[in-house]
Amino acid sequence: MPKTSKKKAKKRSSTNRICKEKQLEKFDEWQGVSPWDPSIGGDGCPRFLCDIMVEGLAKHLRCVGIDAAIPYSKKPEPRELIEQARKEKRVLLTRDAKLLRHEYLITNQIYKVKSLLKNEQLLEVIKTFQLKISEDQLMSRCTKCNGRFIQKPLSTEEAIHAAKGFQRIPSCLFNKNLEFWQCMDCHQLYWEGTQYHNAVQKFIDVCKLSD
C-alpha cells in the first residue's frame, strides 16, 4: 500500500486545524437572533444556561433579574447540556472550548464567555446580548434555584410559619416589621435586611445603573 507523504499529512492536519479554529471563532462573537427573539416565536425574555465552568455567573444573572439556569445534573454530558438549552430555548454559556466543537450544536445556541471574573462576565453577557437591566429587576429572582417570588409579601408571623422545619429565621428580625418574600419553586425565604441592601447596591455599581 502506498504511504501518505509527510507533506500531504501535514497539509491535511493544517486544514483540519484551520476548520476547527473557524468553528470556534463562530461562537466567540455573537451574531444573529437569540432563541427568545419574538421574530422567531420567542417571548422576548432572555434565558441562559450556565455550565459548570460559569456557574457563578448564573447567580449574578439571577441577581439582576435574568433567567439563568444550571444543568440538571452535576456532571452532564455535552449532548445533555445542548438538549436542555434547545428544549428550554436558552443560550448555553460556557468557557469550555471542547464543548464548542460538539457536532450537535445548532446556530445561535452557545456563546463562549471570555472574561474570567464574575462581575466582568456579567457585564460581557449584558453587552453581548444587549440586555436591559433596571434597578427594579435587582434581586427579583431566587439566587438559589432561579425561581420567581410570590406576588404578595409575607408578614413575620406568616414567614415563621412557612419556615418551620425548613429554614431558620433569626429571632432578631421578629420585631422589625419586615416583609418576607418566598420563592414559588424552592420556598426559600428572603427579607430586605442588610445583606439584601448591600447586594442591591453592589449590582447598581457593577451595572452602573446610577449613571
Side-chain angles (χ1 to χ4, degrees):
M1 294 291 289
K3 293 183 179 180
T4 304
S5 69
K6 289 184 179 179
K7 284 187 178 180
K8 285 184 178 180
K10 189 174 181 181
K11 185 178 180 181
R12 190 181 300 117
S13 175
S14 177
T15 302
N16 291 339
R17 180 174 52 80
I18 291 170
C19 289
K20 285 180 180 178
E21 286 175 356
K22 285 183 177 180
Q23 186 178 3
L24 293 177
E25 286 173 5
K26 183 173 69 172
F27 301 113
D28 270 352
E29 298 299 333
W30 184 261
Q31 296 176 348
V33 181
S34 302
W36 54 78
D37 195 289
S39 66
I40 57 171
D43 58 8
C45 297
R47 293 185 185 86
F48 297 97
L49 173 62
C50 298
D51 76 356
I52 190 131
M53 297 191 76
V54 290
E55 197 167 320
L57 173 60
K59 289 188 176 181
H60 270 46
L61 285 166
R62 293 169 187 176
C63 285
V64 297
I66 300 298
D67 186 342
I70 58 175
Y72 296 139
S73 59
K74 290 184 178 180
K75 293 183 179 180
E77 292 294 325
R79 191 170 181 177
E80 292 175 330
L81 275 175
I82 294 165
E83 178 59 22
Q84 182 180 348
R86 185 199 63 77
K87 185 179 178 182
E88 299 176 5
K89 294 185 177 180
R90 298 180 183 275
V91 168
L92 177 56
L93 301 177
T94 186
R95 281 187 53 78
D96 186 356
K98 291 181 181 179
L99 190 56
L100 301 178
R101 301 187 184 102
H102 208 278
E103 60 182 312
Y104 295 105
L105 284 171
I106 59 175
T107 305
N108 292 345
Q109 190 181 29
I110 192 169
Y111 173 75
K112 183 177 180 290
V113 179
K114 303 178 187 67
S115 305
L116 292 173
L117 302 178
K118 289 193 288 288
N119 288 352
E120 293 175 3
Q121 289 176 345
L122 174 64
L123 293 175
E124 179 184 338
V125 171
I126 289 173
K127 181 180 179 181
T128 299
F129 294 92
Q130 300 179 348
L131 306 178
K132 295 179 180 179
I133 308 297
S134 68
E135 194 171 334
D136 292 339
Q137 287 177 253
L138 301 182
M139 311 310 292
S140 61
R141 281 189 174 272
C142 177
T143 55
K144 185 178 178 182
C145 79
N146 194 42
R148 285 289 194 179
F149 295 129
I150 55 174
Q151 296 297 313
K152 184 181 177 182
L154 301 177
S155 65
T156 302
E157 292 76 15
E158 290 171 328
I160 292 171
H161 179 75
K164 274 185 179 178
F166 170 71
Q167 183 180 353
R168 180 182 172 274
I169 297 177
S171 57
C172 61
L173 302 178
F174 293 172
N175 298 319
K176 290 193 175 182
N177 196 30
L178 295 173
E179 290 183 337
F180 292 79
W181 301 88
Q182 189 171 34
C183 174
M184 291 188 288
D185 293 337
C186 73
H187 308 300
Q188 181 79 12
L189 286 158
Y190 295 82
W191 55 89
E192 295 185 7
T194 304
Q195 190 174 357
Y196 167 86
H197 291 294
N198 288 344
V200 168
Q201 188 57 53
K202 171 187 173 178
F203 288 102
I204 287 174
D205 295 340
V206 170
C207 300
K208 298 179 173 60
L209 299 180
S210 57
D211 292 352

